[in-house]
Amino acid sequence: MVRIKHRYLLINILYPDPKSTSGRPATKPGDEVPYTVQFRRPSPDRMDGGVLTRLIRDGVAELFGDYGSGKVAGSLQVKYFSQATSTAIVRVSRDHYRLVWAALTFATRLPNPVGQPCVIQVVRVSGTIRKSEEEAIRRARLSIRQAEAAAKSSNAATAGLAAATPQLLSTEDDDVDMINGIEDPDDPRDIEEDLDDEG
Amino acid sequence: MTPQPSAPGPPRPLKRKDAPSSSNTAGSTNHNKRRKTQVALDASGPSKRKDAQSFSATTKNARHDKRRQTTKDARAISSQASSKAFKNGELDVDKFVKAREYEIKALEQGMARAKKALAERAFQQVPKELRRRTASHNVKRVPKRLQRRAAREMVEDKTKSDRRKPSRHMRLRIETAKRLRALSAKQRARKDAVVKDQGTTNVQSDQRPVSVKSRKPRVKKNALKDPPPAPAKFRKRQIGKSWLPTHLYHAKRAHMTSPKEPLWRYAVPLTPTMKSYRPTHRASGDRGAVAWDMSYMATVSLAGTEQSLQGLLRALGIGVSPETKQLWETRGQRWSLGTRVWEGWLYCRDSFPLQAIAPATVIWCAENEPTSVLGAVAEEKANVQRKTVRKLLIRVHPSAFHQLWDEVLRLAKVQKPQVMVEDLRFEIGSIEITGPASTEALLGALWPNTSTSCRDWPQGSVEATWSSLAEITNPATLPENVLFGFDIVDPRLHHPPRTIAIPQSTRESALLSTLSKWPCDQTQTSPKLFDRNARLKAARALPSQKAINRRKSFAVPGTYPEPKPSDAQIPILLYATRNLQSRNGGQSRAQGTWNFLLPWKAVLPVWYSIMYYPLSTGGQPRFGGLREKRQIVFEAGVPWFPGDFPGTAAGYAWEVREREKRKEDWAKRPRGKRTEWSSVDLGNGKKGEIGDGWACDWERLLTGMAPPTTGKSAEAAGDPSSKSDSVSPPPKLCHITSAAASSLLSGSSPLHNIDLSTALATVTLDLLVRGVPQTCARIYRLPSSSAIDPTAISLRNSWLALVPTPESRRRGREQKQPFPSRLRRDAPPHVVHRQLAQSLLKPPQAGEDEYPVCPGEEDLIGFVTTGNFNLGEGRGTGIGCILLGRVLDRVREGRDEGMKGRLCVVRNAGQSVGRLARWDIAG
């Protein structure tokens, strides 16, 4: 018996337009929300797995026509979608995952009931759902650490202390690495630079 | 997945189909539409027509759906909605972190759940020792509680069941069984009809007394006993051998001796069919208990005046040597009063240190009058002794029974007045049990009889003492060789046994004082097991299982049936022994053993009670076969009779039997795949195994080098037709017991009547380096230090260089690996250098050129009779026999050099690598 082989794409959805997104930074004076937190916003309430499926399907149909949508339709499934973290796991057949990936990459806007500009990153392609789950956990841990570190440093900056944390951060986060050629752009040093610019 | 707007704190799987409204909340997307069409497709089958005739199909479909639903649930990962995670849509570090934490938890739980739901089938949940290879195809192979689930799973994934057509032989048996059943039904119907015809006159037949008066069989004194007649159904299967009382139990669960080759004329369980020895090892030392049916041990009863019994025992070599003379004086008083047992070697008539027969247990019968004779006036005592008839039991291994019987019979006739000898072989059975939970299991199974219907025995009585031992986790903590004799009730009346209440440490001091005072010494009365009438009465009074069941059904639910005065009182003798000569000298770790003797017919009910006793530490006692028995004593460093005593007649017979078996196994293998004995490289240009490779070749050892027919002799021996070696008379080997051997080696008592050239002593072998000795391995001494030959001296020195020093041993233990692991190819140079330096300092390993060769045949001193990996030690050890004459001078010359005199080289048969070891006299 031949096993049906799939690929699981771990996806992050980013919302570049701060005006139309649901998550607004808290507007208390003196309470700066770090860039890391702002960068990864939650999805709007109307966004769900169904919307994501529709987005992919439409995208594939647009890019690859009936051929593409026919190839993808049988196996496409959203295995996991979390609004709060804007993370999703999408399953496709192994032979056609590139079509889906392309559709995701070219997506600029969520479909209609939501209708928001977005950027979709494929951060991991794996053969089993387990591996993509593990990667999602790893990334969640990482972003927790980054957010906490950023919050600490920003607090320190507002308190007027010298921000001497870059080395500390870089040593902590040395486990950000290249996975399948997909780089996580969220380098802590960038955050520092950004913070410096703002300051 | 679709977000749950009302997701609560802990993640929970989505249940889409259970709650149809959830599809509405999820939104009418393509995704859901597709699923709906799928459901509709499924439903287009039988579920649309929900009428009566397709009911089974619908249930099947529903079951399938349910199954699919559960898998889907198991695979679903819960997720959190944004509105839930971020209130008012405000971004915040804290909320951000919380949302991620939730996700991590949800994903981890999802993974765990999916794994559990997917991967495990019913037969995989079964503990390892209960797994069966065919369990995935045959539901009956899994435990009952899992059978339903297993059956369902088989249906669901369409496993083919293992229901084959019965074979021709099987069909014949089924047909016969069917015919027999019909026949018996017809007979029963006829009998019933007769009873009905006779009317009510026969009503009292139900209430006839349980014990039927039958003719008393004549006591056969001084004669061997015939095995009891087997039931007609099993008679054909017991020709030439007898079954143990627990044969049916064991035959279902253990590999037995093959029908054509019984052991000692019994069908003996060899090893349980359960794989893996390690659980037994654990049960015997760490947790649990292991029991054996030892009913094959032979029992001889002697009756006579104390004088003549003493004379007989002395002639058998008990208490003859100056060290053991005390046995007949104050030290052995408890033994001769019947509250202790004695274990030791018996010898042929008046030939004390030579011609050992077998190790045996001797039990005196206590006397009924209060045994305060300890302080009585000696004269009075002597007067009493002269008249009263006393009894004793000798318990010996069946392989040496006939030899002992002849000897005892001859001696009994010589005594004045004569001693009556009775063979109790099929009348008294016995069970042995060891392990930390053994006492507990026995207490659960052996309920002392309550004649007065109250469970309070007088303080200090045997029964009270026995019942207070629940806390004991090692029988060796009891006074040495302590003996109980009392009656128990039929264990079937309290079957299935329940876990006994083990008193907590509050009563510890009471137990300690019991152990130190040991009140049984004063209160032990004459055990009824010595009384033939009591034994017979107990056997006859055992009710049928049917009667027991009836009584049980009358009992209040949840309670055991009330005891009745007419219940059988089963007399037993219970004694605890310990292995004094255990390895490490660690008596604290060595487990003692409970043995008990009881009437042959009562063995089975007691056995079942022990086997089904639920231990307080979990599980039930295990049972062992001969192999487990041997391995457990081997791991304690104790030799096993008869296998480790080739110097006795029984031991030599065992060796010949094993030799034949090993030879057959060897001859069965194809020529290319078996050891070619003639081409074994022994070093120094010598080739060919010494003697027969499959044997502990004592003949060769005694006669020395055979005439130079090197190649041919091996070939001739390999030829199965040459059976001359088994027919040849046994060599004149002579077993020397441990005490005698040690005194001989220390030179304290020169025993001039010992022929040193044939004196064999059993030794334990501790390998100083790696390696596992196997049975039949050859044992060499090191070449003499006073040898003239320079090569011999250099060989000796190179072997001595292998002796690990205390430092190296410590280092090895720290490193936890005797060999450095192979270096990686890109290892840095300093690591390579370090390894090189270490390897230069290390003694040579086997297989390297510098590793010393084995000494020559002139230095052969003996053979390993049992060698194996020792789980207790974590390495290979051995038990062997060596010729004392060949090591005496080495031990004497090496006495001032520490252990050098006792170093030896062990080489497995058919291999050329020798291993350095150290021998020590073993029990």
Side-chain angles (χ1 to χ4, degrees):
Chain A
M1 202 175 117
V2 180
R3 182 173 163 173
I4 301 165
K5 300 219 164 142
H6 292 298
R7 283 287 173 268
Y8 294 86
L9 312 183
L10 179 65
I11 289 168
N12 275 341
I13 306 178
L14 306 175
Y15 297 98
D17 186 9
K19 271 165 270 170
S20 57
T21 48
S22 57
R24 249 168 262 85
T27 49
K28 263 183 257 170
D31 193 9
E32 288 282 311
V33 176
Y35 182 75
T36 339
V37 174
Q38 288 187 40
F39 189 72
R40 306 187 179 286
R41 282 165 199 275
S43 299
D45 274 344
R46 276 164 298 172
M47 174 70 189
D48 59 13
V51 177
L52 186 61
T53 322
R54 194 141 50 88
L55 179 144
I56 297 170
R57 210 166 281 165
D58 294 350
V60 171
E62 191 187 344
L63 291 173
F64 304 103
D66 287 349
Y67 166 80
S69 53
K71 283 287 181 195
V72 161
S75 61
L76 183 68
Q77 196 181 356
V78 175
K79 278 286 180 188
Y80 171 69
F81 180 77
S82 158
Q83 285 183 339
T85 53
S86 302
T87 316
I89 297 174
V90 178
R91 189 195 74 179
V92 256
S93 74
R94 187 180 63 170
D95 300 332
H96 311 293
Y97 78 95
R98 278 159 202 282
L99 309 186
V100 173
W101 191 340
L104 287 168
T105 310
F106 280 113
T108 53
R109 219 181 158 73
L110 292 179
N112 221 357
V114 191
Q116 227 178 61
C118 71
V119 172
I120 302 181
Q121 289 178 307
V122 176
V123 288
R124 163 92 194 201
V125 179
S126 67
T128 59
I129 192 165
R130 187 184 179 81
K131 283 291 160 196
S132 56
E133 281 169 341
E134 280 169 5
E135 174 67 11
I137 289 172
R138 201 184 70 84
R139 285 181 173 271
R141 289 224 170 93
L142 195 64
S143 59
I144 287 175
R145 239 183 302 158
Q146 282 174 340
E148 278 172 349
K152 211 183 281 168
S153 71
S154 73
N155 283 345
T158 48
L161 294 170
T165 43
Q167 293 102 347
L168 192 141
L169 277 174
S170 62
T171 49
E172 263 184 10
D173 297 328
D174 53 356
D175 51 350
V176 186
D177 55 353
M178 306 267 286
I179 293 153
N180 292 348
I182 304 154
E183 190 184 3
D184 189 344
D186 212 1
D187 196 341
R189 263 158 299 185
D190 302 341
I191 305 164
E192 278 311 310
E193 282 159 20
D194 289 339
L195 286 174
D196 287 347
D197 291 344
E198 281 167 26
Chain B
M1 292 278 106
T2 49
Q4 285 253 342
S6 60
R12 65 186 173 86
L14 306 180
K15 288 195 177 169
R16 240 179 258 107
K17 279 202 182 160
D18 287 354
S21 61
S22 73
S23 63
N24 296 339
T25 55
S28 57
T29 57
N30 272 357
H31 184 62
N32 278 325
K33 260 183 212 157
R34 200 168 64 82
R35 179 165 299 126
K36 267 180 193 163
T37 52
Q38 210 172 19
V39 171
L41 274 173
D42 287 347
S44 67
S47 66
K48 256 189 180 174
R49 301 174 256 111
K50 271 188 185 166
D51 44 8
Q53 66 256 49
S54 66
F55 178 72
S56 64
T58 10
T59 50
K60 199 175 169 190
N61 202 38
R63 205 167 52 193
H64 191 70
D65 278 354
K66 196 180 152 207
R67 163 89 175 162
R68 214 169 50 181
Q69 187 55 47
T70 45
T71 4
K72 202 165 276 172
D73 284 350
R75 286 179 186 176
I77 309 161
S78 67
S79 61
Q80 203 181 15
S82 308
S83 53
K84 200 82 187 166
F86 299 92
K87 261 181 201 137
N88 311 325
E90 283 186 356
L91 276 182
D92 184 357
V93 176
D94 210 30
K95 301 255 174 64
F96 179 87
V97 168
K98 284 250 170 68
R100 258 75 190 166
E101 274 170 358
Y102 182 97
E103 187 185 49
I104 290 170
K105 220 193 279 170
L107 285 171
E108 273 173 350
Q109 280 187 357
M111 278 196 283
R113 213 171 31 229
K115 191 176 177 194
K116 206 177 156 203
L118 265 186
E120 216 162 51
R121 283 193 48 180
F123 58 85
Q124 289 172 315
Q125 286 188 335
V126 181
K128 211 173 247 165
E129 69 264 21
L130 293 178
R131 296 227 175 136
R132 298 287 176 268
R133 191 174 60 87
T134 47
S136 53
H137 293 275
N138 187 351
V139 178
K140 296 264 170 69
R141 299 275 189 210
V142 294
K144 275 226 174 81
R145 69 187 167 82
L146 291 172
Q147 283 183 1
R148 265 179 61 190
R149 201 187 131 187
R152 203 182 59 219
E153 282 171 358
M154 270 177 69
V155 171
E156 272 161 8
D157 54 14
K158 293 177 189 158
T159 316
K160 276 189 185 148
S161 85
D162 185 38
R163 187 60 63 83
R164 269 179 257 128
K165 218 172 115 190
S167 66
R168 195 170 66 172
H169 178 67
M170 200 60 200
R171 219 160 45 234
L172 272 178
R173 286 189 68 169
I174 291 170
E175 269 170 23
T176 317
K178 213 176 182 180
R179 239 179 282 139
L180 280 174
R181 223 176 293 134
L183 200 69
S184 73
K186 213 191 274 173
Q187 269 180 347
R188 209 180 302 131
R190 206 182 301 149
K191 212 191 259 171
D192 285 354
V194 169
V195 170
K196 240 177 228 167
D197 286 350
Q198 288 184 351
T200 52
T201 48
N202 259 15
V203 171
Q204 75 265 31
S205 66
D206 285 347
Q207 288 141 13
R208 64 187 162 186
V210 181
S211 59
V212 182
K213 270 267 184 197
S214 62
R215 195 177 64 84
K216 245 189 203 167
R218 197 166 50 84
V219 184
K220 273 191 194 169
K221 290 273 161 73
N222 301 355
L224 283 173
K225 192 170 221 138
D226 291 330
K233 202 173 159 193
F234 302 130
R235 201 163 293 154
K236 254 171 92 179
R237 288 151 71 181
Q238 294 188 59
I239 296 170
K241 60 173 177 289
S242 327
W243 283 359
L244 300 181
T246 58
H247 181 84
L248 290 186
Y249 178 93
H250 279 109
K252 290 172 187 169
R253 297 165 178 87
H255 295 294
M256 311 293 285
T257 49
S258 76
K260 292 272 167 56
E261 314 171 313
L263 257 183
W264 316 305
R265 298 181 74 84
Y266 286 98
V268 177
L270 295 178
T271 184
T273 41
M274 269 185 203
K275 303 270 185 290
S276 165
Y277 165 72
R278 196 179 284 266
T280 307
H281 167 80
R282 286 204 193 107
S284 73
D286 301 340
R287 204 179 79 156
V290 189
W292 290 270
D293 181 4
M294 300 293 278
S295 299
Y296 55 79
M297 292 294 263
T299 315
V300 181
S301 158
L302 304 181
T305 60
E306 186 154 357
Q307 282 293 328
S308 35
L309 285 178
Q310 272 195 19
L312 192 148
L313 291 182
R314 268 183 218 269
L316 286 174
I318 299 181
V320 175
S321 72
E323 296 98 55
T324 54
K325 239 177 196 140
Q326 293 278 311
L327 203 59
W328 298 112
E329 291 153 22
T330 47
R331 274 194 74 191
Q333 211 166 26
R334 291 213 170 89
W335 169 54
S336 51
L337 284 177
T339 59
R340 298 284 189 281
V341 300
W342 174 87
E343 284 192 320
W345 279 85
L346 300 184
Y347 299 84
C348 288
R349 182 182 177 182
D350 294 329
S351 59
F352 162 59
L354 307 172
Q355 296 184 50
I357 299 177
T361 311
V362 180
I363 307 170
W364 282 93
C365 178
E367 280 172 287
N368 257 341
E369 51 257 40
T371 45
S372 55
V373 202
L374 280 167
V377 187
E379 247 176 69
E380 216 175 281
K381 203 173 119 191
N383 269 335
V384 173
Q385 271 177 3
R386 217 161 286 153
K387 282 172 205 158
T388 53
V389 170
R390 293 205 62 188
K391 288 177 180 172
L392 62 84
L393 291 181
I394 302 179
R395 207 162 155 264
V396 74
H397 195 273
S399 60
F401 167 72
H402 287 282
Q403 198 187 356
L404 181 74
W405 175 260
D406 292 345
E407 211 63 46
V408 167
L409 213 57
R410 215 173 304 145
L411 282 167
K413 285 175 183 157
V414 172
Q415 305 302 323
K416 278 176 200 161
Q418 271 197 15
V419 171
M420 294 294 262
V421 188
E422 198 184 344
D423 174 14
L424 294 182
R425 267 184 308 165
F426 300 102
E427 206 160 309
I428 290 186
S430 63
I431 293 175
E432 192 175 317
I433 181 166
T434 186
S438 54
T439 317
E440 189 200 333
L442 282 188
L443 276 167
L446 308 178
W447 288 18
N449 188 38
T450 49
S451 50
T452 53
S453 79
C454 64
R455 297 214 59 188
D456 296 323
W457 298 280
Q459 188 70 31
S461 67
V462 180
E463 288 89 350
T465 313
W466 164 243
S467 309
S468 70
L469 296 180
E471 284 162 279
I472 283 183
T473 52
N474 184 355
T477 50
L478 293 169
E480 201 180 338
N481 292 337
V482 70
L483 175 77
F484 300 89
F486 56 93
D487 295 351
I488 58 167
V489 297
D490 189 343
R492 287 176 298 172
L493 287 174
H494 50 87
H495 192 83
R498 290 178 202 146
T499 310
I500 56 166
I502 293 177
Q504 292 310 309
S505 51
T506 48
R507 281 189 53 212
E508 212 168 62
S509 59
L511 180 68
L512 281 179
S513 77
T514 308
L515 288 184
S516 58
K517 281 181 196 148
W518 206 249
C520 292
D521 287 345
Q522 275 78 45
T523 55
Q524 177 71 59
T525 52
S526 177
K528 282 204 206 136
L529 192 74
F530 286 92
D531 180 11
R532 180 187 159 75
N533 288 333
R535 282 196 306 263
L536 287 179
K537 202 176 142 204
R540 283 203 199 106
L542 283 176
S544 66
Q545 186 62 47
K546 213 172 175 181
I548 296 266
N549 289 347
R550 198 180 309 131
R551 263 179 81 180
K552 274 174 146 178
S553 67
F554 286 141
V556 181
T559 60
Y560 295 130
E562 287 287 313
K564 279 199 282 189
S566 60
D567 280 345
Q569 302 179 10
I570 303 169
I572 66 164
L573 270 181
L574 177 72
Y575 61 93
T577 56
R578 44 175 124 159
N579 294 325
L580 279 182
Q581 299 92 2
S582 62
R583 208 174 272 277
N584 302 338
Q587 285 182 20
S588 55
R589 270 187 60 203
Q591 271 286 334
T593 307
W594 284 109
N595 296 276
F596 61 100
L597 314 183
L598 67 172
W600 185 265
K601 290 229 170 99
V603 171
L604 187 63
V606 174
W607 176 259
Y608 270 107
S609 237
I610 291 174
M611 281 294 113
Y612 288 103
Y613 174 77
L615 297 173
S616 63
T617 49
Q620 290 160 350
R622 304 172 66 84
F623 74 94
L626 197 66
R627 229 173 69 184
E628 279 65 32
K629 176 93 200 133
R630 290 190 66 182
Q631 183 69 16
I632 284 175
V633 291
F634 165 73
E635 288 181 353
V638 179
W640 174 75
F641 186 86
D644 292 323
F645 297 98
T648 61
Y652 192 75
W654 174 266
E655 157 64 21
V656 169
R657 186 192 143 95
E658 289 293 291
R659 188 183 288 184
E660 285 296 313
K661 214 186 275 169
R662 281 191 290 257
K663 183 177 166 186
E664 261 171 41
D665 288 347
W666 178 83
K668 250 193 286 187
R669 297 175 71 81
R671 201 167 267 274
K673 285 187 178 166
R674 64 190 184 197
T675 318
E676 196 54 48
W677 303 113
S678 57
S679 58
V680 176
D681 182 17
L682 296 184
N684 286 339
K686 275 175 278 180
K687 278 211 160 183
E689 185 53 78
I690 300 173
D692 292 336
W694 53 75
C696 298
D697 209 339
W698 301 107
E699 299 87 348
R700 173 72 174 258
L701 181 65
L702 289 182
T703 55
M705 291 262 258
T709 51
T710 46
K712 272 184 192 166
S713 74
E715 261 172 44
D719 184 15
S721 62
S722 69
K723 286 227 165 179
S724 57
D725 51 357
S726 62
V727 184
S728 67
K732 285 203 168 71
L733 290 169
C734 167
H735 178 71
I736 302 291
T737 48
S738 59
S742 330
S743 64
L744 191 67
L745 288 176
S746 63
S748 57
S749 62
L751 299 160
H752 25 260
N753 52 354
I754 293 179
D755 178 13
L756 277 177
S757 63
T758 58
L760 267 190
T762 306
V763 294
T764 58
L765 294 163
D766 277 311
L767 262 60
L768 300 177
V769 285
R770 290 160 55 98
V772 177
Q774 301 292 340
T775 306
C776 291
R778 274 68 175 140
I779 309 175
Y780 299 86
R781 60 188 175 188
L782 296 186
S784 171
S785 58
S786 53
I788 312 143
D789 189 6
T791 52
I793 296 281
S794 73
L795 185 63
R796 178 187 168 84
N797 288 337
S798 55
W799 274 113
L800 285 178
L802 292 183
V803 179
T805 55
E807 297 132 44
S808 70
R809 198 171 280 177
R810 205 181 313 124
R811 211 185 308 133
R813 212 171 294 142
E814 278 161 13
Q815 282 174 354
K816 285 279 177 197
Q817 51 176 48
F819 290 104
S821 51
R822 187 179 288 270
L823 282 179
R824 280 166 54 187
R825 200 178 296 161
D826 55 344
H830 69 274
V831 175
V832 177
H833 288 162
R834 195 172 61 201
Q835 179 126 2
L836 183 67
Q838 274 175 357
S839 70
L840 286 177
L841 287 176
K842 264 212 178 92
Q845 306 288 348
E848 291 173 4
D849 287 343
E850 305 93 76
Y851 195 75
V853 296
C854 261
E857 195 184 338
E858 66 280 0
D859 284 325
L860 188 69
I861 52 172
F863 298 95
V864 173
T865 48
T866 311
N868 205 343
F869 189 81
N870 187 332
L871 277 181
E873 299 275 302
R875 61 202 170 86
T877 57
I879 288 178
C881 278
I882 55 173
L883 277 182
L884 277 181
R886 300 216 178 167
V887 292
L888 205 56
D889 55 328
R890 296 291 200 284
V891 172
R892 284 188 178 150
E893 82 188 26
R895 194 172 297 150
D896 36 313
E897 296 173 290
M899 67 171 189
K900 270 184 198 168
R902 301 195 169 195
L903 287 180
C904 58
V905 176
V906 178
R907 179 180 63 81
N908 282 339
Q911 295 180 4
S912 50
V913 176
R915 301 284 186 182
L916 192 66
R918 176 188 144 77
W919 59 264
D920 240 320
I921 296 288

